[in-house]
Every structure is written in structure tokens, then in C-alpha cells.
Amino acid sequence: MRIILLGPPGAGKGTQAEFIKKEFGIPHISSGDILRANVKEGTDLGKEAKGYMEAGELVPDSLIFGMIEERFGMADCQKGFLLDGFPRNESQAVTLDEMLTKMGTKIDLVVLLEVEPELLIARAVGRRVCQNCGAGYHIENMPSKVEGICDKCENELFHRPDDTEETVKNRIEVYQKNTKPLIDFYKNQKKIRAVDSSKPLPEVAAMISKILNDLH
Ligand code: AP5
């Protein structure tokens, strides 16, 4: 199963990806997570990407393609994957199709997470992420048991530097301009299914699960 989760910042892509990964046994490939790991490790890619990410701008395609191709080459991707954050513009979507054609495969479905815009800023600004295991929380919707501490591994939670209100607003604009046109791109391929991600987490997870189970 090869799936894309599409949606604006704070739509719930990363959160839902964790449910899908467990239920369907496919790896979750988050371009944002790979980039953040590179920034943390201080790799050349991380050094180049950092400024774009902190400003809420897209990292240049030339840096993204090699990173994704390398991830597709790993053994766990052979049976499928769930893409989160990639593709993010038409050039990335076209290149993704080309990469998959070369691999003799294709995208099966794009799940579009739709959320009322006024909810997005509150979701992203209130998000907290574990520095160690990557578990995601929200200070109101999904708080950790002890404030600032991860329930799973007891390490410190952090606030992403691009989750300030100003940067989130820019990320939403970048989404509207560059990523939203992909809805039509995948409509033309008859591959898109929309889910109302304004609903509570378990309801959204159940809707996605039904769509993916029907795909089999
Ligand atoms: P990336 O990490 O991909 O960020 P994003 O797309 O902006 O998405 P987010 O991680 O903000 O949101 P999400 O939809 O995953 O929401 P989440 O599940 O966490 O990218 C970061 C940066 O990297 C980009 O700005 C860019 O610079 C660069 N980049 C990445 N990929 C790139 C690419 N392909 N090309 C170029 N540049 C790239 O949920 C948010 C919060 O809401 C959480 O706290 C969660 O608990 C809560 N929540 C979620 N769902 C619900 C619900 N149903 N009810 C209540 N609360 C909910």
C-alpha cells in the first residue's frame, strides 16, 4: 500500500500517520522529520535546510529529491509506505510519479485531511514533541500526564521553532500557494479521498482506517 497524507500544517498528518503505521504495518516517511533529524545532527543537508524551515518556507526541491530517493531505497519501503509532507508542490508530485514508475509501482491513494483554517494555528502553536522518541502531544487536545515530559520515555518535550504563530501563518500561506494545487493534480488521477480532520482524533483515525481497508 502506497499512500500520501495531504493537508495543511497542523491538519493532523503526523498524528494520524502513527495510527496508520501501526494498523497497516507500513513505514511512515515524514519529510519534515527527516529534515529535522538532519538539522539536529548538523549534516550538510540540515545546515542548508535550517533557514528555510525556521522561516516556514519550502526547502528547495534539489535537496528534497535525493533525501526521498535514499529513503525509498531502504528495505522497509519494499512493501509500501505512507508519505507525510511530500510531495509539497507540483514539481515534487511529478518527480514522485517518475521515481515510482522507475520502481515499477505507483501511489494507490491520497488521503486529504481537511480542517477549518481557524483550528490550524491553535493546533500547531499548541503542539509539543518529544526530543527523544518523537511522540506528539498538544497542550490542550492531547496533553502529556506531566507537563513538558513525555509519557512514553520521560524525556523533555519541545516546541518546534517553526510553531510560532507568525511562522505557522506563513506555512499556511505557503501551503495555499504551493501544496493545495496538488488536490486537483490527484483529483485528475482519481486518487484522492477527503476526511474531515476537524473531528476528534479517534473519529478521524476511524474514517481513514475505513478508507484504507476498502482499498484492499
Ligand atoms: P512538516 O514537518 O511536514 O510540517 P507541516 O506539513 O507544516 O505539518 P505539521 O507537522 O505542522 O502538521 P501535521 O499535519 O503533521 O499535524 P500534527 O499531526 O502534528 O514540515 C516542516 C518544514 O519542513 C516545512 O515548513 C518545510 O520548511 C520543510 N519541508 C518538509 N517537507 C518538505 C518538502 N517536501 N519540500 C520542501 N520543504 C519541506 O498535529 C498538530 C497538532 O494538532 C498536534 O499537537 C496534535 O496533537 C493536534 N491534533 C491533530 N489532530 C487533531 C484532532 N483531530 N483533534 C485535536 N487535535 C489534533
Side-chain angles (χ1 to χ4, degrees):
M1 189 189 284
R2 289 168 182 84
I3 307 293
I4 297 172
L5 273 185
L6 189 64
K13 301 182 296 296
T15 308
Q16 295 300 334
E18 287 306 303
F19 292 120
I20 299 168
K21 175 179 150 182
K22 281 189 198 129
E23 185 173 348
F24 294 93
I26 50 175
H28 167 205
I29 302 180
S30 158
S31 48
D33 285 350
I34 302 174
L35 288 167
R36 277 184 289 279
N38 276 276
V39 171
K40 198 174 168 189
E41 287 161 23
T43 65
D44 289 344
L45 169 60
K47 283 179 195 152
E48 285 197 69
K50 191 170 186 272
Y52 296 100
M53 295 174 77
E54 284 179 354
E57 296 294 331
L58 293 186
V59 173
D61 290 350
S62 54
L63 298 178
I64 299 291
F65 293 147
M67 176 185 105
I68 294 290
E69 211 154 18
E70 188 184 338
R71 185 65 187 85
F72 281 168
M74 292 182 188
D76 63 343
C77 289
Q78 300 315 305
K79 285 189 187 156
F81 47 74
L82 170 68
L83 289 173
D84 155 12
F86 177 85
R88 234 173 169 100
N89 57 31
E90 193 163 330
S91 141
Q92 294 187 10
V94 169
T95 301
L96 171 63
D97 281 351
E98 288 168 0
M99 281 181 197
L100 295 179
T101 303
K102 269 195 217 153
M103 290 162 64
T105 186
K106 61 178 175 40
I107 290 297
D108 298 305
L109 193 75
V110 178
V111 178
L112 171 66
L113 299 185
E114 293 181 314
V115 183
E116 294 149 21
E118 55 274 23
L119 275 180
L120 293 175
I121 295 177
R123 280 195 185 175
V125 171
R127 170 179 31 210
R128 298 292 181 271
V129 186
C130 176
Q131 307 242 37
N132 178 49
C133 72
Y137 298 87
H138 188 279
I139 50 172
E140 282 166 11
N141 307 334
M142 211 165 80
S144 56
K145 287 181 193 136
V146 178
E147 195 184 326
I149 302 294
C150 179
D151 294 348
K152 294 180 184 161
C153 68
E154 298 185 350
N155 276 279
E156 222 173 305
L157 302 182
F158 82 107
H159 191 209
R160 270 171 46 179
D162 60 345
D163 275 347
T164 61
E165 186 164 339
E166 192 190 344
T167 309
V168 173
K169 281 183 180 159
N170 188 43
R171 285 161 55 203
I172 293 171
E173 276 178 31
V174 169
Y175 172 83
Q176 299 286 353
K177 184 167 167 247
N178 297 280
T179 314
K180 210 173 169 196
L182 294 186
I183 297 174
D184 282 338
F185 181 92
Y186 288 113
K187 266 187 190 159
N188 289 337
Q189 296 192 359
K190 299 190 173 30
K191 283 186 179 167
I192 200 154
R193 290 286 304 272
V195 165
D196 181 1
S197 194
S198 306
K199 302 265 189 232
L201 284 170
E203 274 185 48
V204 181
M207 288 188 276
I208 297 175
S209 172
K210 181 167 182 338
I211 290 173
L212 297 187
N213 274 307
D214 288 349
L215 199 62
H216 284 310

